[in-house]
Amino acid sequence: MTTTTKTSFRQRLREASERNSSLLCVGLDPDPAELNGRDIAEFGIAIIDATIDLVCAYKPNLAFYEAHGSAGYAALERIIDHVNGRVPVLGDAKRNDIGNSVRFYAKGLFETMGFDAVTVNPFLGRDSLQPFLDYEDKGVFILCRTSNPGGADIQGLNAAYDGVPMPLYEAVAHMSKSWDTNGNIGLVTGATYPSEAQRIREICPDMPFLVPGVGTQGGELEAALSATLDADGGGILVNSSRGILYASTGSDFAEAARVAAENLRAQIEAARPSA
Amino acid sequence: MTTTTKTSFRQRLREASERNSSLLCVGLDPDPAELNGRDIAEFGIAIIDATIDLVCAYKPNLAFYEAHGSAGYAALERIIDHVNGRVPVLGDAKRNDIGNSVRFYAKGLFETMGFDAVTVNPFLGRDSLQPFLDYEDKGVFILCRTSNPGGADIQGLNAAYDGVPMPLYEAVAHMSKSWDTNGNIGLVTGATYPSEAQRIREICPDMPFLVPGVGTQGGELEAALSATLDADGGGILVNSSRGILYASTGSDFAEAARVAAENLRAQIEAARPSA
């Protein structure tokens, strides 16, 4: 399933990030309401062609493809094929299941679809994540504190971990750290809750963080970066979807996406202490 | 999106259950290791043809289809079309996401794929489930206490809900009850943990429960039924997958599945107080 000769996801991410001087991840989330009738695969390919030298990764959210059933998955397969390993592609799947089922999710996402990394939901516990973690060269981003207000309903409950009281999302960070025997775990920490993100960074100083919620979700970029950057001024993927994809919905959408991506990349670079 | 003239999921489930005198749900989870090269759509259709008068619902787990990418989704679409509304089909998707993304999951699963109900993961909170709940005529089964040992990692944490200490899965049951303004929520409570399931039944006496883990997962049928049946001796879907699908892996697989389904249905009926 995995071999020790393969480059790790973290290494591939670092290479793309350094080559393009970028911590920007573009979310490939085609919303028909914004596409003016464009085909979702053609749209994604045009966005990739316009931005691939500006990003450290792409992140298609599978919801936007599953909405179209098998045709949507076929479009997603075309998009991943088009990237063709030039930068990592992170499948924002938020999958979680048990036993045999989760083995098939891991196989489908990592082998059939060919994602370099995926997001997963930790609610079903360690054994539900192990089949993903067993792919040593792939990245597994565990939801920790999501960027939506309702994230607090469960993630914000006061829980006790190892007898110590703490919010549940902190317990998830501690567990994730203890589960990371293959060094391939990352965490999802919304830009919209920087103080929570900072606490998570203190618990997991070396893990890559996927930071969604910048832009249309209202996360303040500088506060989010200051909370999540690691000691080397990296270690994060700052995701933006709608702010880049729909910078224009006219025929200049790809050029407008490039300008928006250039601007956001530059803002991020300006805020990095090491930049 | 929904109209008040549609029959609710609960009503459709009750009708199928009464017509077939059955609380049995067959999980359509095609594992290539057991299929002897059979096509997954043809396999599912043969199982349906052999058992449709014995079940209250079918439950395909999407992992087994996503494992094949777009071809797997095409197979799943064929299977749902083949059932054609004769009994409800529950998509075991365990999906969860936020904002626009979860709207697209709900649309994909309920409209494009045509599921009558789905399973969802509550980790992202109420706003992450609302787009599913807004489909008033569809069923939404929230994961509460799953049937795997690792379910305890997070679901079993000591949490505080409304200031009262309780295991997290009980907090999920309380929240689910408070979120059920459309009367379309159900809960997933594994057969493998009957005492937890019984506690959840006490909190939510009237909700339908999906009870996986009977058979190959080792759940004792009678204990599971006694813990989860509602006051009317119903209100549950007892799911079995491998024990029925792979009762034989030879050319008689469909006939063997029918026999296994008949036996399990009869065992369940015998254990129902009202039967």
Side-chain angles (χ1 to χ4, degrees):
Chain A
M1 192 182 295
T2 56
T3 70
T4 51
T5 56
K6 284 186 186 167
T7 316
S8 73
F9 168 74
R10 288 182 72 152
Q11 179 62 22
R12 299 199 302 283
L13 178 65
R14 196 177 305 118
E15 284 168 8
S17 180
E18 288 176 3
R19 185 171 65 245
N20 294 339
S21 302
S22 180
L23 299 176
L24 174 63
C25 174
V26 171
L28 297 175
D29 303 345
D31 181 345
E34 307 281 2
L35 292 188
N36 274 327
R38 290 179 193 97
D39 173 81
I40 62 173
E42 296 297 334
F43 175 75
I45 287 169
I47 295 288
I48 291 162
D49 288 344
T51 58
I52 197 159
D53 59 326
L54 302 174
V55 304
C56 66
Y58 289 108
K59 181 180 76 64
N61 184 307
L62 273 69
F64 293 84
Y65 302 89
E66 189 167 283
H68 304 275
S70 57
Y73 270 75
L76 182 53
E77 287 161 355
R78 279 188 62 199
I79 286 170
I80 299 167
D81 285 350
H82 186 75
V83 176
N84 194 24
R86 290 178 288 169
V87 298
V89 181
L90 199 165
D92 195 356
K94 301 185 175 71
R95 296 293 188 261
N96 198 207
D97 212 307
I98 67 171
N100 246 336
S101 306
V102 71
R103 285 202 305 111
F104 280 97
Y105 273 133
K107 183 182 166 71
L109 295 166
F110 286 147
E111 297 186 35
T112 309
M113 304 299 290
F115 286 115
D116 298 287
V118 294
T119 59
V120 297
N121 184 315
F123 188 68
L124 305 188
R126 181 182 186 157
D127 59 14
S128 75
L129 301 181
Q130 196 60 47
F132 291 107
L133 301 176
D134 286 343
Y135 286 80
E136 294 177 19
D137 60 317
K138 302 287 190 177
V140 182
F141 286 82
I142 297 176
L143 299 179
C144 188
R145 177 57 174 103
T146 54
S147 58
N148 60 318
D153 289 342
I154 289 181
Q155 298 154 34
L157 285 178
N158 291 312
Y161 176 69
D162 260 357
V164 181
M166 64 183 75
L168 180 63
Y169 65 83
E170 290 188 20
V172 171
H174 282 288
M175 283 187 236
S176 299
K177 193 174 174 180
S178 76
W179 297 340
D180 195 19
T181 52
N182 287 333
N184 58 349
I185 291 183
L187 294 175
V188 180
T189 55
T192 40
Y193 297 98
S195 63
E196 282 95 328
Q198 183 154 14
R199 186 68 199 105
I200 297 166
R201 177 53 88 195
E202 286 163 17
I203 296 167
C204 300
D206 299 319
M207 268 189 199
F209 284 12
L210 171 64
V211 184
V214 165
T216 49
Q217 285 186 50
E220 296 276 353
L221 182 64
E222 284 189 33
L225 288 169
S226 141
T228 55
L229 284 165
D230 67 15
D232 297 326
I236 60 173
L237 299 89
V238 181
N239 187 75
S240 177
S241 301
R242 305 182 71 87
I244 289 172
L245 301 184
Y246 312 124
S248 163
T249 56
S251 59
D252 63 337
F253 74 94
E255 295 84 346
R258 180 172 178 83
V259 172
E262 278 178 327
N263 288 341
L264 184 51
R265 178 183 69 157
Q267 280 180 273
I268 298 166
E269 290 302 298
R272 289 173 73 177
S274 62
Chain B
M1 192 183 295
T2 57
T3 72
T4 51
T5 56
K6 285 187 186 166
T7 316
S8 72
F9 167 74
R10 288 182 72 152
Q11 181 60 23
R12 299 199 301 282
L13 178 65
R14 196 177 305 118
E15 285 167 9
S17 180
E18 287 174 4
R19 186 171 63 246
N20 294 337
S21 302
S22 179
L23 298 177
L24 174 64
C25 174
V26 171
L28 298 174
D29 304 345
D31 182 343
E34 307 281 1
L35 292 188
N36 273 328
R38 290 180 192 96
D39 173 81
I40 61 173
E42 296 297 335
F43 175 75
I45 287 168
I47 294 288
I48 290 162
D49 287 345
T51 58
I52 196 157
D53 59 326
L54 302 174
V55 304
C56 66
Y58 289 108
K59 183 180 75 64
N61 185 307
L62 274 70
F64 293 84
Y65 302 90
E66 191 169 282
H68 304 274
S70 56
Y73 270 75
L76 181 54
E77 287 160 356
R78 279 188 64 198
I79 286 170
I80 299 167
D81 285 349
H82 186 74
V83 176
N84 195 24
R86 290 178 287 169
V87 298
V89 181
L90 200 166
D92 195 356
K94 301 186 175 71
R95 297 292 188 262
N96 197 206
D97 212 307
I98 67 170
N100 246 336
S101 307
V102 72
R103 285 203 303 112
F104 280 97
Y105 273 132
K107 183 181 166 70
L109 295 166
F110 287 147
E111 298 186 35
T112 308
M113 303 300 291
F115 287 113
D116 297 288
V118 293
T119 58
V120 297
N121 184 314
F123 189 68
L124 306 188
R126 180 183 187 156
D127 59 13
S128 76
L129 301 181
Q130 196 59 48
F132 290 107
L133 301 176
D134 286 343
Y135 287 79
E136 294 178 19
D137 61 318
K138 302 287 190 176
V140 183
F141 286 82
I142 298 175
L143 299 178
C144 188
R145 177 56 174 104
T146 55
S147 58
N148 59 318
D153 289 340
I154 289 181
Q155 299 155 34
L157 284 178
N158 290 312
Y161 176 69
D162 260 358
V164 181
M166 64 184 75
L168 179 63
Y169 66 84
E170 290 189 20
V172 171
H174 283 288
M175 284 187 235
S176 299
K177 193 174 176 180
S178 76
W179 297 340
D180 195 19
T181 52
N182 288 333
N184 58 350
I185 293 182
L187 295 175
V188 180
T189 54
T192 39
Y193 298 98
S195 63
E196 283 96 327
Q198 184 154 12
R199 187 68 199 105
I200 297 166
R201 177 53 88 195
E202 287 163 16
I203 297 167
C204 299
D206 300 320
M207 269 188 198
F209 284 10
L210 171 64
V211 184
V214 166
T216 49
Q217 284 186 52
E220 295 278 352
L221 183 63
E222 284 189 32
L225 288 169
S226 143
T228 56
L229 284 165
D230 66 16
D232 297 327
I236 60 172
L237 299 90
V238 181
N239 187 75
S240 177
S241 301
R242 304 181 71 87
I244 290 172
L245 302 185
Y246 313 123
S248 162
T249 55
S251 58
D252 63 338
F253 74 94
E255 295 85 344
R258 180 173 178 83
V259 172
E262 277 177 329
N263 288 342
L264 184 51
R265 178 183 69 157
Q267 281 181 271
I268 298 167
E269 290 303 296
R272 289 173 73 176
S274 62

